Amino acid sequence: RLQLDPQSDNAKKDFQHWLACFEAYIGSAPDTIPEAQKLQILYTRLSSNVFPLVQDAPTYAEAMALLKENYAQRTNKIYARHLLSTRRQLPGESVDDFWRALLGLVRDCDCEAVSATEHSNLLMRDTFVTGIGSDYIRLRLL
């Protein structure tokens, strides 16, 4: 059930998770679901606080567009890159957990030009090397 405050810090992440689960649920039907029925199913997966956002939408597509507009707002690229570049391995945090945290941060950087994958890999590599807590591992990576 979607029950989020659009202003919360985790709204975008939580909405993306909810959306992926909802679309998987809709897609798992053995037959194609008509748009009107998708809208009715959507209503059942919204809390009473979220429902007013879409109650006047005439179609499923328009209702989903309204939800995305409210919950999947673009991240400030400068702030996202700042968070990535200043992320350091926390005391007691494993190297694997540190890497996973970097993966989450780099997604918001909206990398482009070179190729998103190549640029993401470069940013991740630099931040990983700079931010890792072990001097020994950092020296081995350099």
Side-chain angles (χ1 to χ4, degrees):
R1 195 167 196 96
L2 183 61
Q3 186 169 353
L4 292 174
D5 172 8
Q7 304 305 316
S8 74
D9 292 338
N10 292 327
K12 181 179 178 180
K13 181 182 79 158
D14 291 343
F15 176 73
Q16 288 172 337
H17 176 257
W18 175 87
L19 183 60
C21 292
F22 182 76
E23 288 176 345
Y25 175 73
I26 292 291
S28 68
D31 297 320
T32 304
I33 301 172
E35 293 294 305
Q37 191 175 353
K38 285 183 185 179
L39 186 60
Q40 296 303 313
I41 294 169
L42 175 63
Y43 290 163
T44 69
R45 304 309 311 149
L46 302 176
S47 72
S48 60
N49 294 335
V50 176
F51 177 72
L53 290 173
V54 300
Q55 73 183 22
D56 294 329
T59 66
Y60 171 76
E62 290 180 52
M64 291 304 286
L66 287 168
L67 289 173
K68 289 175 183 176
E69 181 181 312
N70 279 277
Y71 290 106
Q73 299 164 356
R74 294 184 59 91
T75 304
N76 177 329
K77 286 193 280 189
I78 296 170
Y79 181 66
R81 290 179 182 177
H82 168 73
L83 289 178
L84 178 65
S85 68
T86 59
R87 176 62 160 89
R88 301 294 179 258
Q89 186 180 20
L90 303 173
E93 182 178 34
S94 72
V95 171
D96 287 340
D97 288 342
F98 178 51
W99 183 256
R100 279 189 288 277
L102 294 177
L103 283 173
L105 291 172
V106 79
R107 285 187 186 107
D108 289 335
C109 289
D110 197 24
C111 299
E112 51 190 39
V114 180
S115 93
T117 302
E118 185 176 342
H119 192 64
S120 294
N121 289 339
L122 292 171
L123 285 172
M124 294 257 320
R125 180 204 60 204
D126 294 346
T127 305
F128 186 78
V129 170
T130 303
I132 195 148
S134 169
D135 290 335
Y136 174 74
I137 294 174
R138 184 174 23 265
L139 288 174
R140 291 208 41 176
L141 293 172
L142 296 171

